[in-house]
């Protein structure tokens, strides 16, 4: 076996220096613990559930019926939170559970790299990734993107370790090699379990490396991991979406039609704290907010140059390649942006960037080293301050929206809309979850019912429709009594169980 790719991967062996694993893991554990604590303090466990969260949580919930599950979604996050949501409706308990679990996952992902980079590089990489506002914000949320990110980071590390063991003659059959192979399969499965299409994009470079180097064992393990994670999504495609091709087509339509779309500027706009930038027509945030994002690729290139000169290209090239393919569809194939989409890329690029920063600080000597350390400290302090400011703004704005949903639910309860019940109209999915109702729509991407079904349902349980104040209601709710509440018109279907009114 020959070729530049194989030679680069074989170079992984040079990095396998013996490390006192127990002591070396302390800094990584400290970073993970600080990440968990920061989520609990800064995001706060009382933060209500967001729109997408209510969809995922409702699938296995003791609080409300399952919301419509659209084609792009996968059930991995619903199963991940099921140990809490299946018996408790406490959002606080769910947030604490996810914060602790996300910290543990970050520790395990960083740990897979412990024989590939010095612990100081890994600790800095973990700190850089964990201190981003988008990482802190989504770590304790019932959303899949963070879990794809830590899965991608761990998968790349396991791949490199398994490949190194194989090139050293063990062919992945020794104890370390078997652990790395099992880790690769598990992390590939985790990614596919959470978001199958993202898992494919992330692992494209790994699949290519396996094919070029003809490492068939590693290829088989990687494919088996992806298949085991995606099998439920594929089966569900045939059972409920008209086949795999139809589900992919529907998913593309919901995303606005996948194709050539330059979303780089949209991503820059979203960095100011917008959870979803669709349509992304707002003004750019303060330039200071975007600086880190523009510096990131520069530092990644510096990290690659450092690695090439040190003849340890593979451990830097692999995560950078996976980061590039993970980011590509969200930068060039969709017409909108959300900061969480790039979490896998941020996690993967963190190690090469951290390596570059450590080299830039340690290589100079004397006064130049002091200057480099000072500049790095000032830069990181400013970066952290900006991230925390954006996080605080985002959490505050999110709290306002979630409180509005909670108040609307309370008003619906006052009007007699209590479970079992059904809501339609604007924000019906999240408000229905807060109210304890099912949700339905007769049109749009979440269409799952018809006017006939809604009319029939109104005869046996409370049904309400939510429309912006003064807007024309749907035909089925045209004659329902209207109750004005803030910016909404609440129409409750008349019926023996619809309760009273104001």
């Amino acid at each position: 076996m020959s070729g530049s790719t194989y030679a680069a991967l074989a170079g992984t062996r040079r990095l396998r220096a013996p490390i006192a694993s127990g002591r070396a893991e302390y800094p990584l554990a400290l970073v993970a613990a600080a990440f968990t604590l920061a989520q609990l303090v800064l995001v706060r466990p009382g933060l209500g559930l967001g729109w997408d969260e209510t969809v995922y949580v409702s699938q296995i919930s003791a609080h409300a019926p399952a919301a419509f599950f659209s084609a792009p979604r996968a059930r991995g996050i619903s199963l991940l939170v099921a140990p809490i949501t299946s018996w408790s409706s406490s959002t606080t308990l769910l947030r604490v559970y996810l914060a602790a679990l996300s910290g543990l996952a970050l520790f395990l992902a960083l740990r897979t790299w412990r024989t590939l980079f010095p612990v100081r590089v890994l600790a800095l990489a973990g700190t850089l990734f964990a201190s981003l506002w988008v990482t802190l914000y989504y770590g304790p949320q019932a959303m899949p993107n963070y879990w794809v990110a830590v899965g991608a980071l761990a998968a790349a590390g396991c791949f490199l370790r398994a490949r190194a063991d194989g090139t050293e003659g063990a062919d992945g059959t020794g104890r370390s090699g078997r652990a790395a192979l099992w880790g690769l399969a598990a992390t590939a499965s985790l990614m596919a379990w959470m978001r199958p299409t993202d898992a494919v994009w992330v692992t494209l470079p790994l699949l290519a490396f396996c094919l070029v180097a003809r490492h068939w064992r590693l290829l088989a393990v990687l494919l088996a991991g992806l298949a085991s994670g995606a099998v439920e999504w594929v089966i569900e495609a045939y059972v409920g979406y008209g086949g795999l091709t139809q589900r992919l087509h529907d998913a593309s339509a919901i995303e606005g039609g996948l194709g050539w779309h330059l979303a780089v500027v949209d991503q820059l706009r979203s960095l100011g704290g917008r959870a979803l930038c669709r349509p992304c027509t707002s003004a750019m945030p303060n330039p200071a907010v975007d600086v880190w994002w523009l510096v990131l690729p520069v530092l990644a290139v510096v990290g690659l140059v450092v690695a090439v000169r040190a003849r340890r290209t593979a451990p830097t090239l692999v995560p950078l390649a996976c980061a590039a393919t993970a980011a590509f569809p969200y930068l060039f194939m969709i017409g909108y942006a959300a900061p969480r989409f790039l979490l896998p890329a941020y996690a993967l690029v963190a190690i090469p960037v951290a390596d570059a920063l450590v080299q830039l600080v340690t290589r100079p000597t004397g006064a130049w080293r002091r200057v480099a350390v000072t500049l790095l400290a000032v830069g990181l302090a400013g970066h952290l301050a900006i991230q925390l400011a954006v996080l605080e703004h985002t959490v505050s704005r999110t709290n306002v929206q979630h409180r509005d949903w909670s108040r609307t639910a309370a008003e619906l309860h006052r009007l007699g809309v209590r479970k079992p019940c059904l809501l339609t109209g604007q924000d019906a999915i999240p408000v229905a979850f807060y109210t304890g109702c099912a949700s339905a729509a007769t049109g749009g991407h979440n269409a799952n019912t018809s006017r006939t079904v809604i009319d029939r349902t109104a005869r046996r349980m409370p049904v309400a429709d939510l429309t912006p104040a003064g807007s024309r209601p749907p035909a089925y709710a045209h004659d329902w009594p209207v109750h004005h509440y803030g910016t909404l018109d609440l129409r409750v279907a008349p019926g023996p169980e619809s309760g009273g009114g104001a």
Side-chain angles (χ1 to χ4, degrees):
M1 292 177 283
S2 62
S4 58
T5 303
Y6 177 78
L9 289 174
T12 306
R13 288 175 289 177
R14 300 186 183 94
L15 281 152
R16 294 183 58 80
I19 296 177
S21 59
R23 183 170 297 179
E25 290 173 2
Y26 290 159
L28 306 184
L30 184 61
V31 169
F35 174 53
T36 295
L37 181 61
Q39 293 175 64
L40 298 176
V41 172
L42 300 175
V43 181
R44 296 182 289 276
L47 181 70
L49 297 181
W51 180 304
D52 291 295
E53 285 188 289
T54 63
V55 175
Y56 290 119
V57 169
S58 70
Q59 303 306 306
I60 305 175
S61 174
H63 179 67
F68 177 74
F69 208 72
S70 60
R73 302 186 189 275
R75 298 189 181 273
I77 195 67
S78 299
L79 295 172
L80 185 71
V81 300
I84 302 297
T85 61
S86 60
W87 61 273
S88 174
S89 60
S90 171
T91 302
T92 298
L93 181 60
L94 178 62
R95 297 286 187 223
V96 172
Y97 165 75
L98 286 172
L101 204 59
S102 62
L104 175 62
L106 179 61
F107 168 74
L108 294 176
L110 291 171
R111 188 175 180 271
T112 63
W113 290 81
R114 68 190 186 281
T115 59
L116 301 171
F117 283 92
V119 69
R120 62 184 178 182
V121 171
L122 300 180
L124 178 58
T127 302
L128 292 174
F129 175 62
S131 62
L132 293 177
W133 76 261
V134 64
T135 310
L136 285 164
Y137 184 69
Y138 284 104
Q141 293 202 29
M143 295 288 284
N145 310 87
Y146 173 81
W147 299 97
V148 175
V150 290
L153 181 61
C158 289
F159 175 87
L160 286 165
R161 291 175 63 183
R163 185 65 190 86
D165 287 333
T167 57
E168 287 175 353
D171 196 27
T173 57
R175 182 177 178 182
S176 176
R178 286 196 300 270
L181 288 174
W182 279 108
L184 178 60
T187 51
S189 182
L190 172 66
M191 289 189 288
W193 193 39
M194 293 293 171
R195 289 184 70 89
T197 51
D198 282 10
V200 172
W201 282 103
V202 167
T203 56
L204 277 178
L206 306 184
L207 295 168
F209 288 152
C210 288
L211 289 171
V212 171
R214 298 181 182 180
H215 203 307
W216 308 124
R217 177 192 292 270
L218 207 52
L219 178 63
V221 168
L222 183 55
L223 290 175
L226 292 173
S228 65
V231 63
E232 186 278 332
W233 197 84
V234 173
I235 292 173
E236 188 179 42
Y238 288 97
V239 172
Y241 296 89
L244 181 58
T245 302
Q246 185 62 46
R247 184 169 195 176
L248 291 171
H249 178 270
D250 292 345
S252 174
I254 290 173
E255 301 292 348
L258 297 180
W260 181 254
H261 297 284
L262 188 61
V264 175
V265 176
D266 293 342
Q267 285 290 346
L268 283 169
R269 286 193 176 101
S270 72
L271 291 177
R274 295 193 61 179
L276 182 64
C277 199
R278 185 180 190 181
C280 208
T281 56
S282 60
M284 284 285 190
N286 187 305
V289 172
D290 292 338
V291 167
W292 72 270
W293 203 80
L294 299 173
V295 171
L296 197 64
V298 176
L299 290 175
V301 171
V302 172
L304 182 58
V305 171
V306 168
V308 171
R309 288 180 176 177
R311 302 185 67 188
R312 49 179 177 79
T313 305
T316 298
L317 179 62
V318 166
L320 286 181
C322 292
T325 56
F328 182 83
Y330 294 115
L331 294 177
F332 303 107
M333 293 185 67
I334 62 173
Y336 65 98
R340 67 181 184 272
F341 291 162
L342 296 182
L343 274 171
Y346 298 151
L348 286 161
V349 82
I351 290 180
V353 166
D355 190 33
L357 291 175
V358 168
Q359 293 296 322
L360 290 173
V361 168
T362 57
R363 285 204 171 192
T365 58
W368 285 111
R369 174 173 291 186
R370 289 191 292 272
V371 171
V373 170
T374 302
L375 289 176
L376 178 61
V378 171
L380 290 179
H383 169 69
L384 181 60
I386 291 171
Q387 295 301 308
L388 294 180
V390 174
L391 178 64
E392 177 60 30
H393 171 71
T394 304
V395 170
S396 297
R397 185 174 58 194
T398 302
N399 264 322
V400 170
Q401 183 184 50
H402 294 178
R403 281 197 296 267
D404 287 344
W405 289 341
S406 183
R407 292 184 182 121
T408 302
E411 179 66 11
L412 287 167
H413 286 160
R414 190 184 71 81
L415 295 172
V417 181
R418 300 177 181 275
K419 60 182 180 181
C421 49
L422 177 70
L423 296 188
T424 66
Q426 178 173 289
D427 290 344
I429 288 178
V431 175
F433 183 87
Y434 278 69
T435 312
C437 299
S439 58
T442 58
H445 296 310
N446 294 313
N448 62 344
T449 191
S450 65
R451 175 178 179 176
T452 300
V453 173
I454 292 175
D455 289 339
R456 187 165 58 244
T457 302
R459 298 190 190 105
R460 57 184 177 84
M461 70 172 64
V463 176
D465 179 75
L466 290 65
T467 55
S471 298
R472 185 174 181 178
Y476 57 80
H478 185 268
D479 296 328
W480 295 357
V482 59
H483 307 267
H484 303 291
Y485 178 74
T487 60
L488 291 174
D489 286 341
L490 310 179
R491 289 176 170 81
V492 180
E497 300 180 18
S498 63

